[in-house]
Every structure is written in structure tokens, then in C-alpha cells.
Amino acid sequence: MKAMNKGILIVLSGPSGCGKDTVLSQLIDSNEDIKVSVSMTTRKPRGLEVDGKDYYFVTREYFEKKIAEGSMLEYAEYNGNYYGTPKAPVDEMLNSGINVVLEIEVQGAAKIRQLYPDAVTVFLLPPSLATLEKRLRERGTEDEETLSHRLYIGEQEILRASEFDYYVINDKIRDALTDFETIIKAEKLKITRNKNIINEVINNV
């Protein structure tokens, strides 16, 4: 049978520190047909982050220019910085049959649901707020005031998890990755995404 012509758009959200980058890194290493869209941000790089791989790190002026041009699929201001998704690369990958994951803020996820009604939305949860705080502290990248603000924002984001299609709890990375892969596999097999399969089966009888 023929594969689907169009890829699935997967939205992944969750509070800062819940492990989104780690889960996605292992996801794409294990699945050749899944790519992560590179987001654009005005925040400074952390640690070993690489421009063009982890994010497109740009100035506030450049980001606002792209907004004005209508080149952003979605964007939001979070903790004093812009975060967003350039539209053209996403549409190009989807039309090529590649499944695309957008790692975006909760605000951006709401926008994507409006633009792409068939998008799959997944919320990554920490086992507890205490675990979330521990992970943020272990980063060692924020002062106490910034950390407290991130925790407050994270709690507010968790309260919106019910807006998503699925949730994954990131306690043990292997379990979280398995759950994520299961969600994607189930979505690939949905009849609503594979109506051509029915006709192919009938025609092959």
C-alpha cells in the first residue's frame, strides 16, 4: 500500500525544564521520518546551543520584521523574549511527507490548532512541581528571581494541559519516549488520515 502523501504536524508543549529537548532529541534519533522544526527566538543561547540547530537566534528587530512580513506560523512573547515558528520550512516538510514536530509555548499551540485543525497536540508534564524546580535549578542558568518566574509560568501552563489531545509524563525518559512514539503511530493509522487506503484495499481484491 502507498504511504500517506502528507506528513503529520505534531505540537509539543510543556513548562520550561520538563525535558522537551531531551525527549525530542531521542525521538528524531530513533525515527527517520520525524523532523523537529527549528524555532526562532530573541533570547540568548544557553550553554552549547547552536544557531540554526537548536534555535535561530535573532535580534528583536529582525523578529518583528518577520512578524510584519507574515512569515511566522506562530509566535509568542515569553519571559521577555519572542519565540516563534517560521512558516515556509514547516509547510515544505509536511508536503514532502515528513512528520514535523513543533516545540512551542502553550500560547503558540493554541494558534496552531486554529491554522491546522488536524494537528496532533501533546503536553509534556513533569512528575511534580518539585521535580520541575529541581531540574530548573540543576540547569544553573537562571538567577533566583528568573527561576521563580519560570516556575510560576510553568504552573500556569500546566493548568492548560487539558487543552491538548494527549499528555506524556516525563519521569523516565525511555517511558516518555515510548509514549510519544505510540501517540504518533496511532495517529498515522487513523482512518481520517488514510481514506485512500480503503479504496486501495477494495481495488486490490
Side-chain angles (χ1 to χ4, degrees):
M1 292 183 182
K2 297 179 181 179
M4 289 185 296
N5 293 323
K6 193 168 184 179
I8 299 173
L9 183 62
I10 305 138
V11 174
L12 177 66
S13 295
S16 179
C18 70
K20 297 187 295 293
D21 290 341
T22 303
V23 171
L24 286 182
S25 176
Q26 296 201 21
L27 181 73
I28 60 175
D29 284 347
S30 305
N31 298 272
E32 295 182 355
D33 64 336
I34 299 175
K35 302 294 182 183
V36 177
S37 171
V38 178
S39 297
M40 187 181 291
T41 183
T42 58
R43 77 158 170 80
K44 301 297 183 184
R46 297 194 195 107
L48 299 177
E49 288 181 329
V50 177
D51 182 46
K53 179 182 177 182
D54 300 290
Y55 283 96
Y56 295 114
F57 295 101
V58 301
T59 63
R60 192 174 185 87
E61 291 73 20
Y62 182 86
F63 200 109
E64 290 177 342
K65 176 185 176 184
K66 290 300 178 182
I67 293 173
E69 292 174 352
S71 301
M72 302 303 293
L73 183 60
E74 56 78 33
Y75 68 92
E77 192 166 5
Y78 175 83
N79 206 28
N81 287 298
Y82 280 123
Y83 293 80
T85 306
K87 187 176 189 301
V90 172
D91 286 337
E92 183 178 340
M93 286 188 286
L94 289 174
N95 290 331
S96 298
I98 297 171
N99 301 309
V100 181
V101 180
L102 302 184
E103 181 193 340
I104 55 180
E105 309 302 328
V106 173
Q107 292 169 273
K111 177 74 176 296
I112 295 297
R113 282 193 294 269
Q114 294 175 352
L115 296 174
Y116 296 82
D118 61 345
V120 181
T121 57
V122 182
F123 196 95
L124 191 65
L125 286 164
S128 67
L129 288 176
T131 301
L132 184 64
E133 180 176 357
K134 180 175 181 291
R135 290 174 180 174
L136 286 172
R137 288 189 180 280
E138 287 174 347
R139 276 183 179 178
T141 55
E142 287 101 7
D143 56 31
E144 195 65 29
E145 182 179 354
T146 303
L147 188 145
S148 295
H149 187 55
R150 283 192 179 277
L151 284 172
Y152 171 76
I153 292 174
E155 186 173 354
Q156 299 307 304
E157 289 175 329
I158 289 171
L159 291 173
R160 296 182 62 180
S162 60
E163 299 173 12
F164 289 70
D165 298 318
Y166 301 93
Y167 75 90
V168 172
I169 295 178
N170 186 19
D171 187 1
K172 296 180 179 179
I173 184 65
R174 182 67 248 176
D175 293 341
L177 182 61
T178 298
D179 287 346
F180 204 166
E181 290 176 330
T182 300
I183 290 168
I184 296 172
K185 183 175 182 180
E187 287 291 333
K188 285 182 181 180
L189 297 175
K190 272 190 172 179
I191 289 292
T192 53
R193 296 184 187 277
N194 297 276
K195 292 181 180 178
N196 60 314
I197 295 295
I198 305 300
N199 292 328
E200 288 178 12
V201 169
I202 292 174
N203 292 333
N204 286 332
V205 172

